[in-house]
Amino acid sequence: MLKVENLTVHYGRALAVKDVNIEVRKGEIVAIVGSNGAGKTTILNAVMGVLKKHGRVVFEDRDITNFKTHEIAGLGISYLPDTRTVFKNLTVLDNLRVAFYKNLKAEGEKGFRQKLEGIFEHFTNLEEKIGLKAGFLSGGEQQMLSIAQSLIREPKLVILDEPSAGLSPKLVKDLFNIISFMKRNRLTVLIVEQNVNKTIKIADRVYFLKNGKIVASGKAKDFEDDNIIKQAYFGG
Ligand SMILES: Nc1ncnc2c1ncn2[C@@H]1O[C@H](COP(=O)(O)OP(=O)(O)OP(=O)(O)O)[C@@H](O)[C@H]1O
Ligand SMILES: [Mg+2]
């Protein structure tokens, strides 16, 4: 579904990502794990057309290397950046409605309400606060809302940049449950995380990134007991 080929990105003269190859197949959860500054966000921004890059990006057999960000989003890729933002002056409900806007024309308010039910099955916290302005939610709740926004669009591919960062243990648990749910529904996910143990449990395949390079990759379950990798790159 998504192929990243020989991706190299510089910031000025500094090399941030070098010769990275990543593939995400339909229905897979693929994770990129790496510590601070490894180049994870850089890869995602380059894929989404936010940064200048060398290499090639292919989505559903189409070369999208030179597509603009909104064109890439229009193909059905939903990107949740690490700077997640919700509209603080809009209610939880309206934030979700805005996210659903493109589908609203075709599916109407009824379609929206149906999708909403599906979302609230997994985001029970949000359902309780449906009428509240998003600005009154806690940081973690706002983060869950922004994840709900990217899911309600029913994208072909969801790209999540460290969705668990800054969440309470309870919300991290909810989040990983939601991602497992996505997996059972054959949604395709590319997730970037520092939380190596939790990520390995839900991902199908994983790429380990260090100093802008992929240093190991393979089936996630093959790394579950691989303390060498974990210790070498993540200090345990
Ligand atoms: N706009 C920028 N200008 C210059 N250098 C940058 C810029 N953005 C990132 N970098 C550098 O590129 C490298 C990779 O950064 P990146 O944000 O991709 O890392 P990351 O893996 O997402 O880290 P984190 O887990 O902290 O989010 C870092 O050395 C960083 O300092
Ligand atoms: Mg980052």
Side-chain angles (χ1 to χ4, degrees), residues 6-220:
N6 304 109
L7 180 72
T8 296
V9 183
H10 290 85
Y11 291 109
R13 287 170 65 186
L15 182 68
V17 165
K18 185 169 163 46
D19 253 335
V20 161
N21 288 280
I22 288 170
E23 187 177 359
V24 184
R25 302 184 200 114
K26 196 168 189 297
E28 268 191 328
I29 297 186
V30 172
I32 305 173
V33 287
S35 48
N36 288 123
K40 305 180 297 297
T41 300
T42 302
I43 293 175
L44 301 187
N45 280 334
V47 166
M48 290 307 293
V50 180
L51 289 174
K52 271 178 81 174
K53 59 189 174 278
H54 293 281
R56 217 162 79 101
V57 182
V58 178
F59 181 67
E60 293 187 317
D61 300 322
R62 194 187 315 198
D63 188 330
I64 62 163
T65 313
N66 298 315
F67 276 37
K68 299 208 163 60
T69 304
H70 68 270
E71 293 167 337
I72 297 173
L75 296 174
I77 301 183
S78 175
Y79 176 35
L80 184 72
D82 55 359
T83 53
R84 319 159 226 287
T85 44
V86 292
F87 297 106
K88 290 191 168 41
N89 280 321
L90 293 184
T91 60
V92 167
L93 180 67
D94 283 341
N95 266 284
L96 291 167
R97 190 179 274 127
V98 167
F100 194 69
Y101 179 73
K102 224 180 112 198
N103 309 43
L104 205 55
K105 279 189 205 142
E107 299 179 40
E109 184 71 15
K110 202 171 155 217
F112 172 59
R113 293 283 165 175
Q114 260 169 14
K115 296 284 151 40
L116 211 55
E117 258 177 51
I119 288 286
F120 285 150
E121 254 174 59
H122 302 279
F123 295 82
T124 41
N125 278 26
L126 293 181
E127 185 168 20
E128 290 161 15
K129 301 189 175 170
I130 187 166
L132 206 63
K133 281 189 180 173
F136 294 123
L137 300 177
S138 74
E141 288 167 341
Q142 290 186 26
Q143 195 162 325
M144 296 302 267
L145 176 58
S146 66
I147 294 166
Q149 284 181 310
S150 57
L151 293 184
I152 202 167
R153 290 186 200 115
E154 301 203 313
K156 291 180 184 164
L157 172 67
V158 188
I159 299 182
L160 304 169
D161 192 350
E162 295 200 45
S164 79
L167 293 182
S168 69
K170 153 94 175 62
L171 285 184
V172 171
K173 203 166 153 244
D174 288 355
L175 172 72
F176 280 94
N177 281 337
I178 290 163
I179 295 172
S180 302
F181 164 79
M182 294 186 203
K183 177 175 163 158
R184 288 197 296 278
N185 280 274
R186 302 282 297 163
L187 195 78
T188 310
V189 183
L190 176 60
I191 178 172
V192 153
E193 266 293 340
Q194 288 193 44
N195 198 331
V196 58
N197 286 314
K198 280 215 166 65
T199 306
I200 280 178
K201 286 207 182 81
I202 56 149
D204 295 297
R205 285 187 306 107
V206 59
Y207 293 87
F208 292 90
L209 189 72
K210 189 179 166 71
N211 296 334
K213 290 184 203 143
I214 305 282
V215 290
S217 65
K219 283 190 183 149

